[in-house]
Amino acid sequence: MDENQLKEVLKELIEKSKEYKDGFLAPKECKIKLSELNNYDFFIYSKLEKTKRELWTRKHSNKEYGEKLLVPVVTIDNDYVSFIPKIIRKYLKEIS
């Protein structure tokens, strides 16, 4: 997978989701029709669907380690791609 293509895909998802607000307690998921995407590439989206990123970590006072919730970067469901914009922005920063 070409890293530049991946960055373009992530930038497009960020642009398409700029109207979505991050939720206060639980993040809001964004849904976009695949036909609305300019940079849709099955192989890139398939890889993103298998890639997991941390949504949140919860630490307990009586435990040494916390619990992490990992979610896929994107989820493809029928004709829609679903994602949490916060995860996309973090992932783009990681690879840039």
Side-chain angles (χ1 to χ4, degrees):
M1 172 174 41
D2 182 19
E3 192 171 299
N4 289 328
Q5 284 180 308
L6 175 60
K7 288 178 184 178
E8 288 302 313
V9 164
L10 295 175
K11 286 177 185 176
E12 180 179 17
L13 291 175
I14 290 170
E15 179 65 29
K16 297 267 185 191
S17 66
K18 67 182 177 185
E19 298 299 319
Y20 279 75
K21 305 285 185 219
D22 289 331
F24 178 67
L25 295 175
K28 191 173 180 183
E29 190 174 61
C30 179
K31 254 185 162 176
I32 298 175
K33 271 195 120 161
L34 292 176
S35 60
E36 295 176 15
L37 299 171
N38 298 325
N39 293 318
Y40 179 73
D41 181 322
F42 173 79
F43 297 108
I44 291 175
Y45 278 85
S46 172
K47 172 102 170 133
L48 288 173
E49 202 170 21
K50 294 174 186 165
T51 304
K52 304 242 183 207
R53 287 291 177 258
E54 183 179 325
L55 180 59
W56 55 259
T57 301
R58 180 174 59 184
K59 297 227 177 196
H60 299 286
S61 60
N62 60 350
K63 288 188 178 179
E64 186 176 324
Y65 301 103
E67 296 176 68
K68 290 183 180 182
L69 175 62
L70 299 174
V71 296
V73 175
V74 300
T75 305
I76 307 291
D77 186 29
N78 294 326
D79 293 338
Y80 289 90
V81 61
S82 301
F83 58 95
I84 297 171
K86 174 180 164 182
I87 299 272
I88 300 292
R89 291 191 302 266
K90 279 182 164 178
Y91 188 43
L92 183 59
K93 282 182 185 177
E94 286 176 23
I95 63 171
S96 291

